[in-house]
Amino acid sequence: MNKEHGEKLNEVREYMLDLEHLNQAIGLVYWDMRVGIPKKAIDSRSEVIGYLSGESYKIATSDKVKEFIDYFEGVNGLDDISSSMIENLKKEYEKTKKIPSDRHKEYTILASKSEVAWEEAKDKSDFEIFKPYLQKVVDFKDEFISYWGYDKNKYDTLLDFYEPSITVEKLDDIFGELRDGIVQLLEKINNSKVKPKDDFFKKEFSKESQEEFSKFVVEKLGYDFDAGRIDESVHPFTINFGNKDVRITTKYLTNEFRSALFSTIHEGGHAIYEQDIPDELNGTGLGTGVSMGIHESQSRFYENIIGRSKSFWKYFYPEAKKRFPQFEGVSLEEFYKGLNTVEPSLIRTEADELTYSLHVIIRYEIEKALINGKIKVEDLPRVWNEKYKEYLGVEASCDAEGVLQDMHWSDGSFGYFPSYALGNIYGAQFLNKMKKDMPNMYEEIEKGNFEYIHKWLSENIHKHGAVYKPADLIKMVTGEELTAKYFIEYLNKKYTEIYDL
Amino acid sequence: MNKEHGEKLNEVREYMLDLEHLNQAIGLVYWDMRVGIPKKAIDSRSEVIGYLSGESYKIATSDKVKEFIDYFEGVNGLDDISSSMIENLKKEYEKTKKIPSDRHKEYTILASKSEVAWEEAKDKSDFEIFKPYLQKVVDFKDEFISYWGYDKNKYDTLLDFYEPSITVEKLDDIFGELRDGIVQLLEKINNSKVKPKDDFFKKEFSKESQEEFSKFVVEKLGYDFDAGRIDESVHPFTINFGNKDVRITTKYLTNEFRSALFSTIHEGGHAIYEQDIPDELNGTGLGTGVSMGIHESQSRFYENIIGRSKSFWKYFYPEAKKRFPQFEGVSLEEFYKGLNTVEPSLIRTEADELTYSLHVIIRYEIEKALINGKIKVEDLPRVWNEKYKEYLGVEASCDAEGVLQDMHWSDGSFGYFPSYALGNIYGAQFLNKMKKDMPNMYEEIEKGNFEYIHKWLSENIHKHGAVYKPADLIKMVTGEELTAKYFIEYLNKKYTEIYDL
């Protein structure tokens, strides 16, 4: 690479660093709004976020960025990080610039009103309240797709925001296979005589004892409290301001043992990913998880594949019993099975490991049809209920339990849902490779040596940040294209054992 | 006022609002750094603050601001708020612009290094470590004063940053009178046979019980928890992001009852001031306390004049006894006197209400001499110790207990210290007027009706924000120029009664 290119790359990184600084401040203001802000300040703080976001937008779409992009047009021989940085810069710039700024502004206002309408509609369990807003959001998305363009399927353009390189064509295959696999397994489980108990999780557990135990567990898993902290919020989330400050939130239910613990482990998985991003990616725009799907693979890997495994509890259960006399008389086997009961249900966020993906696949199928005009906004409640009946055998008694349960559509996040199920699929495919690389991994988990798997994840996935596309990463790491087969195998093995199928 | 002026004023306010938004974000990042940041993030977060501060500087010194100033040059007939806004804008712009930007930058870097050197020097109690840095800071201040200019005394220019309209000429009078008054009173107290006990404050008090009681007290005084919150930090402080989010921090000592309580009441006084600022001052640059001295008058009024009064404890002591069995057998009279023991000491921040101002006056005399070249940096430890001996009759055994105890000089905040004693003086002068307006004010306090005095402070002081200069405000409110006489009277009356003089 010639010297001039090197200098220009440094200039780009300096410029991007400013943007990262600003975005970190926005992130902190956002975190504070969800964790600690006094209630009278909410409106004025929204204006602060509005102002800062506007500045961030200006920096990301400035003439300077255009100049950088033009400079590197046709330049070859850059290292992986630099070429990915430039490519990413260009992609973001073009996506943003293609939307006329007045339409973008109108959409932002609509999205915020639509969120409020959704909240009211959910509270009153009345889809009609939300319908006109959702219609406008869908119309906007259609208009935006016309600016962005698409190849085979309009929905591909939206998927690309969350999972670059994933398409409807691929997802139809992968999700189709997964759906059939889960539905078959579910049928067997429904016919099984084994009905694990989980009533011992529904006793009283003080907030303090849950908090201490959750912190003890995530620290063991590799979460670094010198580069993060745990607070409470209404909805648990992970947020990071660089790789040195990755914060988790959780919510404690004093009548349920599993809720806060597994949500903390889940968010811990996201957080460990971000904490592991190397410093050298600062100022490249690539110093973060590569996609929503890969991010969910890390959170769900820690939450389910590790956190709901027997090996994990062989190590942690004695500690849990010491701290929680509520488990007196409950054997490890009973405890483990209690954590893995399967029960088709209406609410995605409360679903078990097996049925969770079906909730997601239903949303995928609906979004795809909606964006391509195969169904209309007014059809949503009906289609929703039909699919829940067909795949899960359950019926919502009202819209709040059905089509209104998630907020994702209210601000137009179509294309996001598939990430959740992709996370499961990626995770099991990674697991398959891990077991080959470390045949003794479960034995190490039983000994409490979580550094062993953490190091593997860090070396194979985390250290790359967003340098490689998800499709390239899975190939690099596992040697294969993405496939649902390992996740289906994993589920079959796990539940066959638990339910004696 | 003509229409065109009105439109321009709106334009100025829009512009200033952006600056306020940015500064609120900076404030929040700063707060987080002192309250909750994980330690590995400190360095990178400093860069975020550096970036945002640079942007804030750009906005405050832009050509746009110059255009506003030029537009309103010679324009008359503006309302008080608008004319003060323009005057303030001009003053800030000119002060900043007069410093060559490379010198400003060098100074910022020096100040940050100097702070680190001061910390080390204080830890090792070795002034020699700090001396070369302090010398450079003083040299810079001298250079800056040459840019800013001065009338009669170089130190006036520095005072103006913290207490506009106060000068050395005035301070020499006021502080001279106060110093003599306190020294005389102190001599009488030293000769008094009364020695109130305060050992009952030095028992074990749990953090939780102190926290609950402190919150109970400041809420009663008028602090609004819907527009603020209390957290812990190494050094207590108040910070606000607008008038809807005014946060306090405190520090709990479990072997001392008074420390956290009175620091919370003190910060509560600052915070109530900021919470009372009217919304109409948003976007004017005047929506905050007018000066450091007036700010300290509010915090020290609540902490001392109210918080250490007998009426206050007539109301709160029964509640305190309920919560703290440690006060079993201690009468209200003993409790009250224990809160008001006088004991000349070495450390300003731990000084009692009487001797506190002497600590401040010593610093004022030293700063004034230093800035005017009457003493040199190398003389500081000697001069410091001489003055402590003379005014307070105490001798520091090392520099850490003496000249190195405060951080204010390390970043060049010369001119700040007088605010602390000015706060006492303003406060007593306000009190004198309050007693005329509300002869029953202490009876209302005994009944727990703190809204009564809060309303007076709000109507007379808080609601004006920074619209009027401190000298104008004190005249408007009390009808008199600033004078130490009321504070001296207040002290004499209080301690004569307590020490039976």
Side-chain angles (χ1 to χ4, degrees), chain B residues 141-162:
Chain B
K141 283 283 153 174
D142 199 55
E143 180 185 336
F144 286 3
I145 292 170
S146 77
Y147 303 135
W148 289 318
Y150 66 96
D151 278 340
K152 293 185 181 165
N153 192 304
K154 286 183 175 182
Y155 190 65
D156 286 346
T157 302
L158 302 181
L159 279 173
D160 189 64
F161 278 91
Y162 307 101

CSV table of all heavy atoms in Angstrom, one decimal, chain B residues 141-162:
chain,number,residue,atom,x,y,z
B,141,LYS,N,-1.7,32.2,34.0
B,141,LYS,CA,-2.8,33.1,34.4
B,141,LYS,C,-2.4,34.5,34.2
B,141,LYS,O,-3.2,35.4,33.8
B,141,LYS,CB,-3.1,32.9,35.9
B,141,LYS,CG,-4.0,31.6,36.2
B,141,LYS,CD,-5.4,31.9,35.8
B,141,LYS,CE,-6.1,30.6,35.4
B,141,LYS,NZ,-7.5,30.7,35.2
B,142,ASP,N,-1.1,34.8,34.5
B,142,ASP,CA,-0.6,36.1,34.3
B,142,ASP,C,-0.6,36.5,32.8
B,142,ASP,O,-1.0,37.7,32.5
B,142,ASP,CB,0.9,36.2,34.8
B,142,ASP,CG,1.3,37.6,35.1
B,142,ASP,OD1,0.6,38.3,35.8
B,142,ASP,OD2,2.3,38.1,34.5
B,143,GLU,N,-0.3,35.6,32.0
B,143,GLU,CA,-0.3,35.9,30.5
B,143,GLU,C,-1.8,36.1,30.1
B,143,GLU,O,-2.1,37.0,29.3
B,143,GLU,CB,0.3,34.6,29.8
B,143,GLU,CG,0.2,34.8,28.3
B,143,GLU,CD,0.7,33.5,27.6
B,143,GLU,OE1,1.4,32.7,28.2
B,143,GLU,OE2,0.3,33.3,26.4
B,144,PHE,N,-2.7,35.3,30.6
B,144,PHE,CA,-4.1,35.4,30.2
B,144,PHE,C,-4.7,36.8,30.7
B,144,PHE,O,-5.4,37.4,30.0
B,144,PHE,CB,-4.9,34.3,30.8
B,144,PHE,CG,-4.7,33.0,30.1
B,144,PHE,CD1,-3.8,32.8,29.1
B,144,PHE,CD2,-5.5,31.8,30.5
B,144,PHE,CE1,-3.6,31.6,28.5
B,144,PHE,CE2,-5.3,30.6,29.9
B,144,PHE,CZ,-4.4,30.5,28.9
B,145,ILE,N,-4.3,37.2,31.9
B,145,ILE,CA,-4.7,38.5,32.4
B,145,ILE,C,-4.2,39.6,31.5
B,145,ILE,O,-5.0,40.6,31.2
B,145,ILE,CB,-4.3,38.7,33.9
B,145,ILE,CG1,-5.0,37.7,34.8
B,145,ILE,CG2,-4.5,40.2,34.3
B,145,ILE,CD1,-4.4,37.7,36.2
B,146,SER,N,-3.0,39.4,30.9
B,146,SER,CA,-2.5,40.4,30.0
B,146,SER,C,-3.4,40.5,28.7
B,146,SER,O,-3.6,41.5,28.1
B,146,SER,CB,-1.1,40.2,29.6
B,146,SER,OG,-1.0,39.1,28.7
B,147,TYR,N,-4.0,39.4,28.3
B,147,TYR,CA,-4.9,39.4,27.2
B,147,TYR,C,-6.3,40.0,27.6
B,147,TYR,O,-6.9,40.8,26.8
B,147,TYR,CB,-5.2,38.0,26.6
B,147,TYR,CG,-4.0,37.2,26.2
B,147,TYR,CD1,-3.8,35.8,26.6
B,147,TYR,CD2,-3.0,37.8,25.4
B,147,TYR,CE1,-2.7,35.1,26.2
B,147,TYR,CE2,-1.9,37.0,25.0
B,147,TYR,CZ,-1.8,35.7,25.4
B,147,TYR,OH,-0.7,35.0,25.0
B,148,TRP,N,-6.8,39.6,28.8
B,148,TRP,CA,-8.1,40.1,29.2
B,148,TRP,C,-8.1,41.5,29.6
B,148,TRP,O,-9.0,42.2,29.5
B,148,TRP,CB,-8.6,39.2,30.4
B,148,TRP,CG,-9.0,37.8,30.0
B,148,TRP,CD1,-9.7,37.4,28.9
B,148,TRP,CD2,-8.7,36.6,30.7
B,148,TRP,NE1,-9.9,36.1,28.9
B,148,TRP,CE2,-9.3,35.5,30.0
B,148,TRP,CE3,-8.1,36.3,31.9
B,148,TRP,CZ2,-9.2,34.2,30.4
B,148,TRP,CZ3,-8.0,35.0,32.4
B,148,TRP,CH2,-8.6,34.0,31.6
B,149,GLY,N,-6.9,41.9,30.2
B,149,GLY,CA,-6.8,43.3,30.7
B,149,GLY,C,-7.4,43.4,32.1
B,149,GLY,O,-8.0,42.4,32.6
B,150,TYR,N,-7.1,44.5,32.8
B,150,TYR,CA,-7.6,44.7,34.2
B,150,TYR,C,-7.6,46.2,34.5
B,150,TYR,O,-6.8,47.0,33.8
B,150,TYR,CB,-6.8,43.9,35.2
B,150,TYR,CG,-5.4,44.4,35.4
B,150,TYR,CD1,-5.1,45.3,36.4
B,150,TYR,CD2,-4.4,43.9,34.6
B,150,TYR,CE1,-3.8,45.7,36.6
B,150,TYR,CE2,-3.1,44.4,34.7
B,150,TYR,CZ,-2.8,45.2,35.8
B,150,TYR,OH,-1.5,45.7,35.9
B,151,ASP,N,-8.4,46.6,35.4
B,151,ASP,CA,-8.5,48.0,35.8
B,151,ASP,C,-7.5,48.3,36.9
B,151,ASP,O,-6.4,48.8,36.7
B,151,ASP,CB,-9.9,48.4,36.2
B,151,ASP,CG,-10.8,48.7,35.0
B,151,ASP,OD1,-10.2,49.0,33.9
B,151,ASP,OD2,-12.0,48.7,35.1
B,152,LYS,N,-8.0,48.0,38.1
B,152,LYS,CA,-7.1,48.4,39.3
B,152,LYS,C,-6.2,47.3,39.8
B,152,LYS,O,-5.2,47.5,40.3
B,152,LYS,CB,-8.0,48.8,40.4
B,152,LYS,CG,-8.8,50.1,40.1
B,152,LYS,CD,-9.6,50.6,41.4
B,152,LYS,CE,-10.4,51.8,41.1
B,152,LYS,NZ,-11.4,52.1,42.1
B,153,ASN,N,-6.7,46.1,39.7
B,153,ASN,CA,-6.0,45.0,40.3
B,153,ASN,C,-6.1,43.7,39.4
B,153,ASN,O,-7.2,43.4,38.9
B,153,ASN,CB,-6.6,44.7,41.7
B,153,ASN,CG,-5.8,43.8,42.5
B,153,ASN,OD1,-5.5,42.6,42.1
B,153,ASN,ND2,-5.4,44.2,43.7
B,154,LYS,N,-5.0,43.1,39.1
B,154,LYS,CA,-5.1,41.9,38.3
B,154,LYS,C,-6.0,40.8,38.8
B,154,LYS,O,-6.7,40.1,38.0
B,154,LYS,CB,-3.7,41.2,38.2
B,154,LYS,CG,-2.7,42.0,37.4
B,154,LYS,CD,-1.3,41.2,37.4
B,154,LYS,CE,-0.3,41.9,36.4
B,154,LYS,NZ,0.9,41.1,36.4
B,155,TYR,N,-6.1,40.7,40.1
B,155,TYR,CA,-7.0,39.7,40.7
B,155,TYR,C,-8.5,39.9,40.4
B,155,TYR,O,-9.3,39.0,40.3
B,155,TYR,CB,-6.7,39.6,42.2
B,155,TYR,CG,-7.3,38.4,42.9
B,155,TYR,CD1,-6.9,37.1,42.6
B,155,TYR,CD2,-8.3,38.6,43.9
B,155,TYR,CE1,-7.5,36.0,43.3
B,155,TYR,CE2,-8.9,37.5,44.5
B,155,TYR,CZ,-8.4,36.2,44.3
B,155,TYR,OH,-9.0,35.2,44.9
B,156,ASP,N,-8.8,41.2,40.2
B,156,ASP,CA,-10.2,41.5,39.8
B,156,ASP,C,-10.7,40.7,38.6
B,156,ASP,O,-11.8,40.3,38.5
B,156,ASP,CB,-10.4,43.0,39.5
B,156,ASP,CG,-10.3,43.8,40.8
B,156,ASP,OD1,-10.4,43.3,41.9
B,156,ASP,OD2,-10.2,45.1,40.7
B,157,THR,N,-9.8,40.6,37.6
B,157,THR,CA,-10.1,39.9,36.4
B,157,THR,C,-10.5,38.5,36.6
B,157,THR,O,-11.4,37.9,36.0
B,157,THR,CB,-8.9,40.0,35.4
B,157,THR,OG1,-8.7,41.4,35.2
B,157,THR,CG2,-9.2,39.4,34.1
B,158,LEU,N,-9.8,37.9,37.6
B,158,LEU,CA,-10.1,36.4,37.9
B,158,LEU,C,-11.4,36.3,38.7
B,158,LEU,O,-12.2,35.4,38.5
B,158,LEU,CB,-8.9,35.8,38.7
B,158,LEU,CG,-7.6,35.9,37.9
B,158,LEU,CD1,-6.5,35.2,38.7
B,158,LEU,CD2,-7.7,35.2,36.5
B,159,LEU,N,-11.5,37.2,39.7
B,159,LEU,CA,-12.8,37.2,40.5
B,159,LEU,C,-14.0,37.3,39.6
B,159,LEU,O,-15.0,36.7,39.9
B,159,LEU,CB,-12.8,38.5,41.4
B,159,LEU,CG,-12.0,38.4,42.7
B,159,LEU,CD1,-12.0,39.7,43.4
B,159,LEU,CD2,-12.5,37.3,43.7
B,160,ASP,N,-13.9,38.1,38.6
B,160,ASP,CA,-15.0,38.3,37.7
B,160,ASP,C,-15.6,37.0,37.1
B,160,ASP,O,-16.8,36.9,36.7
B,160,ASP,CB,-14.6,39.3,36.6
B,160,ASP,CG,-15.8,39.7,35.8
B,160,ASP,OD1,-16.7,40.4,36.4
B,160,ASP,OD2,-15.9,39.4,34.6
B,161,PHE,N,-14.8,36.0,37.0
B,161,PHE,CA,-15.3,34.7,36.4
B,161,PHE,C,-16.3,34.0,37.4
B,161,PHE,O,-17.2,33.3,36.9
B,161,PHE,CB,-14.1,33.7,36.2
B,161,PHE,CG,-13.4,33.9,35.0
B,161,PHE,CD1,-12.3,34.8,34.9
B,161,PHE,CD2,-13.8,33.3,33.8
B,161,PHE,CE1,-11.6,35.0,33.7
B,161,PHE,CE2,-13.1,33.5,32.6
B,161,PHE,CZ,-12.0,34.3,32.6
B,162,TYR,N,-16.1,34.2,38.7
B,162,TYR,CA,-16.9,33.5,39.6
B,162,TYR,C,-17.9,34.4,40.3
B,162,TYR,O,-19.0,34.0,40.7
B,162,TYR,CB,-16.0,32.9,40.7
B,162,TYR,CG,-15.0,32.0,40.1
B,162,TYR,CD1,-13.6,32.5,40.0
B,162,TYR,CD2,-15.3,30.8,39.5
B,162,TYR,CE1,-12.7,31.7,39.3
B,162,TYR,CE2,-14.3,30.0,38.9
B,162,TYR,CZ,-13.0,30.4,38.8
B,162,TYR,OH,-12.1,29.7,38.2
